[in-house]
Each structure stands twice: as C-alpha cells, then as structure tokens.
Amino acid sequence: MSWQFDNHTVLVKMHSKKQAPVNYYVGIDVGSASVRAALVDEFGTVVAHADQPIQIWEPQADHYEQSSADIWAACCSVTKKVVCGVDARQIRGLGFDATCSLVVVDKQFQPLAVNCEGQNHRNVIMWMDHRAVSQVDRINQTQHRVLSYVGGTMSVEMQPPKLLWIKENLQESCWEKAGYFFDLPDFLSWKATGVTARSLCTLVCKWTYTSDGGWDDSFWQMIGLEDLVKDKYEKIGNHVLSPGEAVGKGLTAEAARDLGLPEGTAVAASLIDAHAGGLGVIGADVKGHNLPCENQPITSRVAMICGTSSCHMGVSETPIFVPGVWGPYFSAMVPGFWLNEGGQSATGKLIEHVVRGHVAFPELQAKAKASSQSIYTYLNSHLDLIKKSLPVGFLTVDLHVWPDFHGNRSPLTDLTLKGMVVGLTLSRGLDELALIYLATIQAIAEAMAKMGKIGRVVQPNHGDKRFYDKKYEVFLKLVEHQREYRSIMKGF
C-alpha cells in the first residue's frame, strides 16, 4: 500500500488484523539533503517509511548552511506520515541519527546566525563546510596529544575548527550570545526531550572527548577556546550518554504534539548517521547467506556507508592508530570496541556534480524522463549500448578522474587537494557524459578500495584488475605533481 502526501510518498506494509498487537519503533535519519523516517516492528521489519527534502544554503564557496527549524519540521512531517494509522500505544520508542553538523542556539535555545549576513534561521554549519581552513591548520600545528585519536590530523569537518572560526569571525553576533553548541544528532535529542545531554558517539568522534578521560582542558586552552573550559563545558556538553541510552523522561508534551506521538515516548541517545549505518552492518545477523563473515567475530567486518560522502568503518578489541584514518574511538559505535573510520568528503555529491554540470545533462534528463527511468539507470543502459564488444570498464582507457574535488579526507588528509580530469576532448554529447560518469564511478570505487589498505571493496567483474591499479598509480603521480606545482607557485 502507498499513500501520497504533498508529493512525498509513504510506503506501508500492513500486518494482518488477525495478528496479535506488536510493538513498533521509529527511526529518524537526517542526511545532508533529506530526512527519512521508518516505522519498524519488534521483529525488525520496516513497515513504513517516508522522506522529505531539507534546504541547503551555499552563500559562498565552501560555506554550507542549514536551518535547525527546517530540519526539525521535516522530522515531524515524516514521522507523522509513518505512524499514521498505527495505534500510538504500540510505539515504544524512537531514535535519531544525523549528519555531524554544528547547530548554534542562544541561551534561550533560539537559533543564532552562523553567517555574516545575520540570517538567524541559518544556524547550522554543515559537516561538509570547509570555511575553517586556517583554523584547522593552526590546530594541527599544535600537535596536541588528542590529535592522535583522529589519525594525527584533525579534519576541517570536525567541530573545534568550526567553533574557532565562529569565535574569530562572529565574536559579537554569535560567539558571545551562544548558549549551546550541539552536534545535529544531539540537537534533535534535545528538541525531543528538553535534555541537553550529548551522545558519546558525537563527542568522541567530532569533538575530541574521550570515553575514559572526558575533555582535555589543555587542548581547548591551547587552541584559543578556553571560554569553553571556564563554564565546565556546559555549552558543548558535560552530561554524556552512551548511544541508545534513554534520554530524560522521553518526549516532552510539545515534541509529542509535533511528532504525532504520545508524551513520554522513550527517546534513545543519538548516533551520527554513518555510524548508525555502520552499527547495522557490523552487527547484522548474516547467518544463512553464505557470507565469508558468517561465524566470524564482528572485528572481521568492514562497513562501507555511502551517501553524499562515504565512510569505511571497522571495529577492534584494542586501539589501532593509523595515520590519516580517524580514531581509534572507544565505544563510539559498538560498546566495548574501538572504532576506526576513513572515507571521502564527496562521493555521491561528486557524481551529482559531474553529471548535472555537463552540457549534455538536459538531453539526459529528457531521455530518462521519456523512458520512465532515473538519470543513472539511463546512463548505465547507455554505457551498455556504446561499449560494443569491449568490457564496459575499458571505455575509459583514455579518460581518468581524480575524485578529490572537495579535498582528501583519508588517508592523505589533505583538504587542499583538488579534483582532476585527464583525457577530455571537444565532444559535448551524451556519450561523453556517460563516459565521464563512468570514469568518476571508477575513481571513487578505486580510491575507496585503496583507502586504509583494507583491500579491494569493489572487485570489477569485467576487465583486468591491473587496469584499475594502473589508473590509481597514474593519479598518485599526478597528486605529487599537483603538490609540487603548488609549492613552486608559492614562490612567485
């Protein structure tokens, strides 16, 4: 059964009326561009789901902002849709996961502008925002001991450099007025319960908190954010809960009305969105599927989470320090295990950027619509048409993409790296669009496979493995040339 609400589809699988009442749980997932909700029964079956887009502002290059009010409204909308028709007494709890974006509110929990324009509704600095380049560079120059738990180099996508940017650029309008700085998953938990507790997942992975020692005063003092130490970390979190732990007394009366759920419904401490996916993969029951990891410990698994960006996640019983790979983080995802995480800042977004920015995109869009296909299904079919007798992978023998259009997150940890395309011609048609789409997919897959030396994630079933290895080697050389050229140009 499917219902349509304001152009948003809700898919529902109804249980037989003869069955005894079952318990349900609501999961709310906030991604970069949309919010999704799922209603899951006690057996783990998704019985309803809905999604709704959320707004992104890009006021200037590398600045990405959102609105916490817009995000919360979307959470409420999709939740109401998935619980429609279900006895509210059977809904036993809900949980949030979200991108690790920074939410700023004042002492009365009203939104504060994170921009020079003073637009208070834009109070979220997105995870993929790279405005704090100089701030993160100075933080890394300290070589403080907490950096060993983020691969030795802090990412511009983490929260300390963003906080420092706000203090240095929005001192009066934002920093001095701020009452609380939330990771987005924790903001949603607060909005639902009125409790300002933070999740161990967000604080350990994005804020330098450690599960055994807590906050390190010397780090914040060294980077110029001693203000946070003076108030005993009230603004960034001094009450920490493990992921999944009950938050306060559940839904407040106001949040219950917003979400269409009973007051007091249990709310779980949140997770970062990728980590929620990682937990699902690492902890999945794989019996009966003839997988290599069956009857093996969960430390033998790697979770690959793909969306706007991509993450590789693995857990271990003891801490593993890998330069350029985030972590080790203790109990941030799986209780009692250390987490390591690598990935790239732009993967799904890069594919969209390459495809939609091509001059032939309008033609692709029209033909995909005429054939009732998505643009990506149409491109895949078009590649099959033009490959002739060749394996499709070999269509890009003269076309190569280096995918660091938004810097390199890991393992090179170089946010100044740029994307590269080698092998362009003057052709502007749909064939060329399909080829650069393929080359981009290949580049992302190969970079992901090489990341962290975890082995080949994508094993091509067409063509020669050596072909992909050679493409990667060529681009590593080009990266060296890019860095060398930049060094030379600084002398002029």
Side-chain angles (χ1 to χ4, degrees):
M1 179 185 297
S2 66
W3 298 327
Q4 192 81 16
F5 293 87
D6 301 325
N7 297 320
H8 301 293
T9 302
V10 183
L11 299 178
V12 182
K13 289 191 281 187
M14 301 302 294
H15 286 276
S16 168
K17 293 180 181 179
K18 296 181 180 180
Q19 290 180 325
V22 296
N23 293 324
Y24 295 98
Y25 303 87
V26 178
I28 302 171
D29 168 45
V30 180
S32 299
S34 65
V35 175
R36 282 82 64 171
L39 183 69
V40 184
D41 68 19
E42 62 188 76
F43 308 106
T45 303
V46 177
V47 297
H49 63 86
D51 65 87
Q52 182 166 315
I54 50 179
Q55 192 165 358
I56 298 174
W57 286 270
E58 189 181 354
Q60 55 185 291
D62 290 331
H63 287 228
Y64 295 92
E65 299 168 4
Q66 289 184 311
S67 161
S68 63
D70 178 53
I71 292 169
W72 177 249
C75 289
C76 296
S77 177
V78 293
T79 301
K80 286 180 177 178
K81 292 170 186 176
V82 299
V83 302
C84 183
V86 175
D87 186 344
R89 293 170 298 181
Q90 295 174 247
I91 298 173
R92 309 300 296 171
L94 77 156
F96 297 92
D97 72 69
T99 64
C100 48
S101 300
L102 179 66
V103 184
V104 186
V105 295
D106 65 18
K107 296 175 178 64
Q108 288 73 46
F109 296 96
Q110 296 304 305
L112 277 175
V114 293
N115 48 75
C116 298
E117 296 85 358
Q119 299 292 315
N120 283 330
H121 65 285
R122 287 161 36 199
N123 68 318
V124 180
I125 299 181
M126 288 188 71
W127 64 269
M128 61 183 180
D129 185 289
H130 282 192
R131 70 182 68 184
V133 173
S134 66
Q135 288 76 15
V136 79
D137 183 54
R138 279 179 275 139
I139 290 172
N140 286 322
Q141 287 176 17
T142 69
Q143 298 184 339
H144 193 279
R145 58 179 173 269
V146 300
L147 300 181
S148 64
Y149 287 89
V150 291
T153 304
M154 179 167 284
S155 168
V156 70
E157 295 168 9
M158 294 178 179
Q159 308 303 11
K162 293 175 181 174
L163 292 170
L164 188 56
W165 185 92
I166 291 173
K167 182 176 181 179
E168 294 178 347
N169 293 272
L170 304 173
Q171 174 86 32
E172 295 183 4
S173 63
C174 184
W175 184 258
E176 293 178 356
K177 295 179 180 179
Y180 301 91
F181 299 99
F182 287 102
D183 221 275
L184 180 55
D186 295 323
F187 169 83
L188 296 172
S189 297
W190 165 77
K191 190 71 175 175
T193 66
V195 177
T196 59
R198 307 309 208 274
S199 169
L200 188 67
C201 176
T202 58
L203 292 195
V204 168
C205 296
K206 305 301 175 185
W207 298 73
T208 75
Y209 187 90
T210 61
S211 55
D212 54 351
W215 296 114
D216 189 320
D217 295 355
S218 66
F219 169 71
W220 298 99
Q221 292 163 347
M222 185 178 290
I223 68 172
L225 294 178
E226 63 282 348
D227 327 39
L228 302 176
V229 180
K230 292 176 182 177
D231 70 358
K232 298 181 180 179
Y233 299 102
E234 182 181 1
K235 289 184 178 181
I236 62 174
N238 51 23
H239 178 201
V240 185
L241 299 174
S242 296
E245 192 174 346
V247 182
K249 297 180 180 179
L251 288 180
T252 64
E254 181 180 359
R257 287 193 300 271
D258 289 346
L259 293 162
L261 295 171
E263 181 179 353
T265 300
V267 177
S270 58
L271 285 161
I272 299 169
D273 56 347
H275 298 62
L279 182 62
V281 174
I282 295 293
D285 181 358
V286 297
K287 293 179 181 177
H289 296 282
N290 197 31
L291 295 174
C293 56
E294 186 172 354
N295 300 318
Q296 298 296 318
I298 62 173
T299 52
S300 69
R301 302 183 185 183
V302 171
M304 183 173 70
I305 311 301
C306 300
T308 304
S309 62
S310 61
C311 297
H312 291 78
M313 316 181 92
V315 296
S316 58
E317 294 181 351
T318 57
I320 300 174
F321 295 86
V322 183
V325 175
W326 295 347
Y329 303 132
F330 186 66
S331 288
M333 187 173 77
V334 180
F337 287 83
W338 295 86
L339 168 68
N340 285 90
E341 175 189 352
Q344 296 306 327
S345 298
T347 49
K349 184 169 180 61
L350 175 58
I351 296 168
E352 179 185 57
H353 172 78
V354 168
V355 171
R356 292 181 178 271
H358 196 278
V359 68
F361 177 70
E363 179 186 354
L364 166 65
Q365 201 171 27
K367 289 184 175 179
K369 183 178 181 180
S371 61
S372 300
Q373 293 178 311
S374 74
I375 57 175
Y376 300 109
T377 300
Y378 189 90
L379 280 173
N380 293 337
S381 299
H382 192 74
L383 286 168
D384 286 333
L385 287 176
I386 64 177
K387 72 181 180 66
K388 299 179 181 177
S389 61
L390 282 174
V392 69
F394 282 82
L395 287 171
T396 57
V397 67
D398 294 320
L399 182 62
H400 313 283
V401 173
W402 180 259
D404 290 338
F405 283 51
H406 201 46
N408 183 279
R409 181 189 290 172
S410 60
L412 302 180
T413 62
D414 187 346
L415 62 87
T416 68
L417 279 181
K418 311 299 181 186
M420 293 180 280
V421 183
V422 177
L424 291 174
T425 70
L426 293 176
S427 300
R428 294 153 49 93
L430 189 56
D431 286 1
E432 285 66 40
L433 170 53
L435 290 178
I436 196 167
Y437 159 72
L438 173 61
T440 304
I441 295 287
Q442 290 173 329
I444 291 170
E446 192 62 24
M448 291 167 71
K450 297 295 185 184
M451 197 290 305
K453 300 180 180 178
I454 62 170
R456 184 170 300 278
V457 175
V458 179
Q459 179 66 55
N461 57 11
H462 51 260
D464 190 340
K465 169 182 176 295
R466 291 173 296 176
F467 172 73
Y468 295 96
D469 288 340
K470 185 58 66 176
K471 286 173 76 82
Y472 190 77
E473 289 174 12
V474 167
F475 268 95
L476 283 180
K477 293 178 181 178
L478 288 172
V479 168
E480 292 177 12
H481 291 320
Q482 184 182 134
R483 286 171 164 169
E484 183 179 341
Y485 179 75
R486 186 187 303 136
S487 177
I488 292 171
M489 293 304 294
K490 284 182 178 178
F492 288 91

